[in-house]
Amino acid sequence: MNSSPSSRSSVVVAELGPTNTGKTYRAIERMLEHDTGMMGLPLRLLAREVYDRVTARVGEGRVALMTGEEKRIPPRPDYWICTVEAMPTDKPVDFLAVDEIQLAAHRERGHVFTDRLLHARGRKETWFLGADTMRPMVHALIPHASVKRATRLSQLRYSGHRSLKSLPPRSAVVAFSADRVYELAETLRRLRGGVAVVLGALSPRTRNAQVAMYQSGEVQYLVATDAIGMGLNLDLNHVAFAGLSKFDGAEQRDLFPDELAQIAGRAGRHLNDGSFGTLNTLPELSPRVVSSIESHRFPAVRSLIWRNPTLDFSSPDSLLESLSLAPRHNAFVRVERADDYDALSKLALVPAIREVASSRPMVELLWQVCQVPDFRKGLFGLHVSLLRETFLQLSAGDGKLDPDWLSRQVSPLDDVSGDIHTLMDRLAAIRIWTYISHRSSWLHDAEQWQERTRHIEDALGDALHERLVERFVQRAARRSARRFVRATTAPTASSSDNPFAKLGLLLGETSGADGGLMTEEQFVQRVVDATHETFEVDASGGISFEGQPLARLVRGKDRRSPQLALAEPEVWTGGARRQLERRLVALARDLVTEAMGGFPAESLTGAGRSAAMRGLAYRLAEGLGVISQGEAREQWSLMDAEDRERLKSLGVREGQRFLYVAEALAPQALERRCMLTALFHQRPPPKGVPREPVLDVSGPGGGNARAFGYEVLGTVALRIDLVERISEALRHPNGARQVQTLMQELQLESSVRARVLRALGGQASGDPAKRRRRRRRGKAPAAAPSGAPGQPPRAGAQPPPQRGEG
């Protein structure tokens, strides 16, 4: 990513419009047409949702997730899904997108979005997504940008006010405080049997479990804060406002019409129309506000929040002064308040800190400490005290935090007892330590602390989800769902043969917090969080996790599109099934990518590629990374040098008989190819495939040999990797010895060996090196009898009989 202001090195596109226009969907599709990409999202919850959508397309092996508190980074990611603040601005990518860019006008976070608007660029293409109110600002700040108006895919209509009892199914009630959310959820539970709850303060783990419960239809109602307004995709038909004002961190104020529209627009997804209104405890919305929301027309944003990006770290006072610098452009307003600036203002007055922060590195460290978020949002003085102690420890001794001190802070949070409020307080607190644990240079054993804080956050999230379900979902509402409860210790010999231990317990009958049992939510989340290597995939497509069968791959429309069937779908509730299927779909994509040797077919078949590139990439994908020269010849000849070099950099090799991805011929890739091919043909793979290098032609069958990775040569089928090795050696000036070695390893009969060599364009008999020497002398000596001393036997000749042989 380039960081030069308004860089013209890439195309800049601004997709601006109301909710439900498909902006994010189109940005994802466009990103996947590039080799590399990055998306910045406004919420950690939304980043996780987009990460799930992208990994379901290309697998988890190619996608990184990066937020302030969560990092899932595979060895070689092509795509980065981040919160806007966590975007790694020094990482170059071809495509870059920032969502909800209108947040550049937000009084606290706006300066980060403004900085991305001014400086963040992809090497080839940059997209900014957001409300149409940003149109004048984009035109003024990026004159060369292509500004497109996105139109809503469905209608949004005002339906007046209703009572809670008269709300239609698939409705969301929106309030602006946690207490009000709980009050409304309790009332709806009594009236309707159960609700899901979504608040911004929930961990992604809890939020995902709650949303999955709603999306699967286990409950028909949702009560939420305005956290659902920022792009979260839910199957909503109606949004009912339970309040029209909120505390924005500085004051209690009425919501602006565009803020109401952002939330109301969650109703009616894709082509389904939606409606919005208020509860009957509130007055009707004014006709002017209703008209604005229905027509999606609001006053334009006229100024953005800005912070000086060029900071002076010579002293704390100089840093404060540079942060206070006023903008020179009339489109910007200096950020009025921010937690990091307020923390720095207070810490700069502490004598012990002023004494230490006397050099540039120490002032930079102080600023990094001040940027630790206050997720607790309680007494700011307590947070400043924590930052003070953190900085003093980091600036003394070995520059690391004291493990004993860290343990004293973290250990009390490792407690899943208590009510909803208590658990949410602990969740907010542990998020601070999760954030700190990802500052690897601050800790002695950063990975251990990351694991510990993540474990505590997960346990608190599971417990919170259970409390929310216990309180807001009546047991009758879930009685039809069978439950999964698993012992956390290994099963004994007397255990049930069923690995899932289907006990049919109703939710609430097992707490899951006693250390002896694992609830459905806990097990499912373990699966969701598991890395690719944790799963076991057998040759028939069966998928297991921790020794327990989860699902199997079944035939899809082609070898690249296997479908999933859960092993025992009746065990899981609807929400659990959705989460499991999402993770296992991503696993299936990773398996296909392994079979193709990591070939990124999706990014090479996009609209921005040449026709020849698209065609060849499609053929390579269909062939799981291997196609014949006959299939490749026309498109390869039409390619320019740049496209050919791009394919070569991805491991594509122009062999003698095949065009192939080098890693697609590796043993593990051939195993995946065999599995996917057998699934598609719906019969077991031929015996010996793919371990045996040579098979009788009747084994894979002439028509299917190439699909399994073999080439028919006479009466045998030779594995393609060996076909290419022998063919290459035959055409190499000094390859005769290698050919001889390879043919000996195959242990073929002489007549079969001769036919294979002839089929590959080699000589059927004699020593090629000696034949070349004879041609150079201009005459050939008389051939010695077969088996004569000093002469090798002719290819295909039988050795002389030994004494005692028939």
Side-chain angles (χ1 to χ4, degrees):
M1 175 168 40
N2 298 327
S3 295
S4 55
S6 301
S7 171
R8 291 178 180 268
S9 60
S10 69
V11 174
V12 178
V13 175
E15 279 238 12
L16 306 177
T19 56
N20 192 27
T21 58
K23 299 187 296 291
T24 305
Y25 169 80
R26 286 191 293 276
I28 292 172
E29 292 296 308
R30 187 61 178 153
M31 178 178 73
L32 295 180
E33 292 177 1
H34 288 271
D35 295 334
T36 58
M38 182 182 298
M39 289 190 71
L41 291 309
L43 297 174
R44 182 188 182 195
L45 303 181
L46 183 54
R48 184 62 195 237
E49 179 180 303
V50 171
Y51 172 80
D52 288 347
R53 290 167 64 182
V54 175
T55 54
R57 288 283 301 278
V58 302
E60 291 200 352
R62 297 182 61 199
V63 190
L65 174 67
M66 181 175 287
T67 70
E69 309 133 71
E70 187 176 13
K71 290 180 175 63
R72 292 172 68 90
I73 304 176
R76 293 184 299 275
D78 295 322
Y79 305 108
W80 296 74
I81 310 301
C82 319
T83 50
V84 173
E85 285 85 350
M87 294 172 74
T89 55
D90 59 345
K91 183 163 293 295
V93 292
D94 293 334
F95 175 90
L96 180 138
V98 179
D99 200 8
E100 306 292 357
I101 195 62
Q102 74 275 4
L103 287 177
H106 190 276
R107 58 166 34 174
E108 290 186 41
R109 300 179 64 200
H111 64 91
V112 180
F113 286 79
T114 299
D115 179 79
R116 302 296 184 258
L117 182 68
L118 294 175
H119 303 295
R121 297 291 183 270
R123 288 180 297 199
K124 296 181 179 178
E125 195 167 0
T126 303
W127 282 29
F128 295 110
L129 317 173
D132 199 53
T133 55
M134 282 291 290
R135 185 178 296 268
M137 285 288 97
V138 172
H139 278 307
L141 298 173
I142 317 176
H144 62 283
S146 171
V147 182
K148 301 178 181 180
R149 178 174 174 79
T151 57
R152 188 174 165 89
L153 300 174
S154 63
Q155 296 294 314
L156 185 62
R157 293 286 180 256
Y158 179 59
S159 63
H161 57 201
R162 301 169 179 259
S163 66
L164 278 176
K165 190 174 183 179
S166 66
L167 287 176
R170 313 310 289 169
S171 289
V173 182
V174 180
F176 297 96
S177 72
D179 289 339
R180 182 65 171 144
V181 166
Y182 299 146
E183 178 188 337
L184 291 163
E186 184 68 38
T187 304
L188 266 176
R189 182 192 66 81
R190 292 196 301 267
L191 293 172
R192 297 294 190 178
V195 296
V197 173
V198 173
L199 302 92
L202 297 181
S203 67
R205 191 178 179 105
T206 313
R207 172 261 177 190
N208 288 344
Q210 289 285 306
V211 167
M213 190 170 65
Y214 172 81
Q215 291 286 82
S216 67
E218 290 183 57
V219 295
Q220 294 294 321
Y221 298 89
L222 182 75
V223 184
T225 62
D226 54 346
I228 68 168
M230 284 297 168
L232 298 184
N233 292 302
L234 301 165
D235 297 330
L236 289 172
N237 295 330
H238 180 74
V239 170
F241 288 96
L244 298 174
S245 66
K246 71 172 186 178
F247 182 75
D248 65 1
E251 60 182 354
Q252 187 76 23
R253 62 168 178 82
D254 292 338
L255 274 82
F256 300 121
D258 60 323
E259 292 175 314
L260 293 171
Q262 186 75 25
I263 301 167
R266 295 301 110 196
R269 306 307 297 160
H270 195 49
L271 300 178
N272 299 321
D273 293 344
S275 60
F276 68 99
T278 60
L279 294 183
N280 56 8
T281 54
L282 297 176
E284 294 267 11
L285 293 175
S286 72
R288 180 181 62 82
V289 171
V290 169
S291 176
S292 295
I293 295 175
E294 289 183 339
S295 62
H296 321 297
R297 297 190 181 280
F298 307 98
V301 172
R302 296 298 179 187
S303 60
L304 305 182
I305 304 302
W306 177 89
R307 171 183 275 175
N308 177 25
T310 308
L311 302 180
D312 183 351
F313 292 103
S314 57
S315 70
D317 292 337
S318 298
L319 177 56
L320 285 167
E321 185 177 346
S322 62
L323 286 165
S324 303
L325 191 69
R328 296 179 181 178
H329 197 296
N330 58 12
F332 302 133
V333 175
R334 182 174 61 84
V335 59
E336 292 181 4
R337 68 160 306 275
D339 286 347
D340 52 7
Y341 179 87
D342 293 344
L344 178 63
S345 299
K346 293 183 179 297
L347 293 178
L349 300 175
V350 177
I353 289 179
R354 293 187 68 87
E355 182 179 347
V356 173
S358 57
S359 63
R360 181 182 179 88
M362 286 295 103
V363 177
E364 289 179 345
L365 176 62
L366 177 60
W367 181 231
Q368 291 171 7
V369 170
C370 290
Q371 291 177 305
V372 174
D374 180 18
F375 294 111
R376 292 173 294 188
K377 300 297 182 185
L379 296 175
F380 191 63
L382 293 177
H383 185 64
V384 172
S385 296
L386 173 64
L387 300 184
R388 173 184 178 276
E389 180 62 28
T390 300
F391 174 74
L392 290 176
Q393 285 196 35
L394 292 174
S395 59
D398 61 0
K400 307 282 187 181
L401 294 176
D402 177 23
D404 292 336
W405 177 77
L406 268 175
S407 185
R408 290 195 297 272
Q409 308 303 314
V410 170
S411 295
L413 303 175
D414 192 4
D415 180 1
V416 296
S417 63
D419 59 14
I420 290 173
H421 290 283
T422 302
L423 291 172
M424 288 192 69
D425 288 344
R426 291 192 193 119
L427 259 177
I430 197 62
R431 288 177 68 188
I432 295 174
W433 298 108
T434 301
Y435 181 94
I436 288 175
S437 73
H438 282 93
R439 291 281 189 172
S440 300
S441 61
W442 293 5
L443 297 95
H444 284 284
D445 190 351
E447 289 187 4
Q448 182 264 331
W449 284 106
Q450 290 166 15
E451 180 67 26
R452 183 174 178 184
T453 55
R454 176 70 182 273
H455 171 78
I456 294 173
E457 183 175 341
D458 288 349
L460 290 169
D462 290 338
L464 179 57
H465 174 65
E466 290 292 334
R467 300 293 194 283
L468 291 170
V469 172
E470 288 170 4
R471 180 169 172 183
F472 300 126
V473 181
Q474 288 182 355
R475 288 184 178 180
R478 287 164 66 93
R479 190 156 290 155
S480 62
R482 296 181 64 82
R483 301 293 295 158
F484 164 90
V485 180
R486 171 181 178 258
T488 56
T489 55
T492 62
S494 60
S495 300
S496 166
D497 290 338
N498 176 7
F500 291 110
K502 292 186 288 184
L503 304 179
L505 297 177
L506 298 177
L507 183 63
E509 292 178 357
T510 302
S511 70
D514 60 2
L517 296 173
M518 184 181 294
T519 65
E520 176 188 74
E521 286 80 9
Q522 291 170 327
F523 182 80
V524 168
Q525 197 61 47
R526 284 174 65 85
V527 175
V528 168
D529 291 340
T531 59
H532 178 76
E533 298 75 19
T534 312
F535 294 94
E536 301 152 15
V537 183
D538 62 31
S540 63
I543 302 172
S544 300
F545 177 72
E546 296 182 346
Q548 300 187 11
L550 279 183
R552 68 183 187 281
L553 297 173
V554 296
R555 190 179 194 269
K557 64 179 181 179
D558 54 40
R559 290 189 297 171
R560 293 182 295 139
S561 310
Q563 301 300 301
L564 275 165
L566 291 179
E568 295 182 281
E570 74 279 3
V571 171
W572 312 103
T573 58
R577 280 197 303 273
R578 287 178 64 92
Q579 291 182 283
L580 283 173
E581 288 168 350
R582 201 290 310 162
R583 177 63 186 95
L584 295 177
V585 164
L587 175 66
R589 298 287 83 78
D590 281 328
L591 296 173
V592 173
T593 300
E594 280 183 7
M596 294 193 295
F599 183 67
E602 189 118 22
S603 65
L604 299 175
T605 54
R609 306 290 182 175
S610 68
M613 171 68 89
R614 293 200 306 272
L616 191 60
Y618 177 76
R619 285 180 178 273
L620 273 170
E622 272 197 322
L624 296 180
V626 181
I627 56 175
S628 69
Q629 283 287 4
E631 293 176 280
R633 188 173 295 114
E634 181 180 1
Q635 275 126 351
W636 184 260
S637 66
L638 292 173
M639 278 188 182
D640 59 25
E642 184 180 350
D643 280 350
R644 290 186 187 181
E645 285 303 313
R646 175 61 189 144
L647 287 176
K648 289 177 181 178
S649 72
L650 294 171
V652 176
R653 301 289 180 262
E654 190 179 10
Q656 299 299 325
R657 299 175 70 92
F658 295 93
L659 189 77
Y660 61 94
V661 180
E663 289 299 318
L665 299 184
Q668 185 176 12
L670 292 172
E671 292 279 358
R672 299 304 188 209
R673 166 186 282 269
C674 175
M675 177 193 72
L676 294 170
T677 303
L679 282 172
F680 184 69
H681 291 163
Q682 294 186 298
R683 59 174 177 264
K687 185 177 180 180
V689 174
R691 294 179 302 279
E692 296 297 331
V694 60
L695 302 171
D696 187 272
V697 72
S698 62
N704 292 330
R706 194 170 287 177
F708 281 104
Y710 287 76
E711 178 78 336
V712 174
L713 301 169
T715 59
V716 297
L718 192 61
R719 209 170 56 209
I720 287 175
D721 59 321
L722 284 166
V723 169
E724 281 299 327
R725 287 173 62 190
I726 295 171
S727 298
E728 182 65 29
L730 283 170
R731 284 152 183 81
H732 195 279
N734 301 314
R737 187 176 299 277
Q738 185 182 358
V739 171
Q740 212 169 27
T741 302
L742 288 170
M743 298 306 292
Q744 287 172 356
E745 289 175 355
L746 294 177
Q747 299 180 345
L748 299 174
E749 293 181 2
S750 58
S751 60
V752 175
R753 183 187 307 178
R755 293 187 65 179
V756 168
L757 283 172
R758 280 197 299 270
L760 295 178
Q763 295 293 329
S765 63
D767 185 339
K770 291 188 176 182
R771 284 197 302 275
R772 284 195 296 272
R773 287 197 296 271
R774 290 168 185 165
R775 284 195 296 271
R776 285 196 296 269
R777 287 197 298 267
K779 62 179 181 177
S786 176
Q791 295 292 333
R794 296 191 306 274
Q798 297 294 326
Q802 301 295 318
R803 184 174 300 174
E805 292 184 353

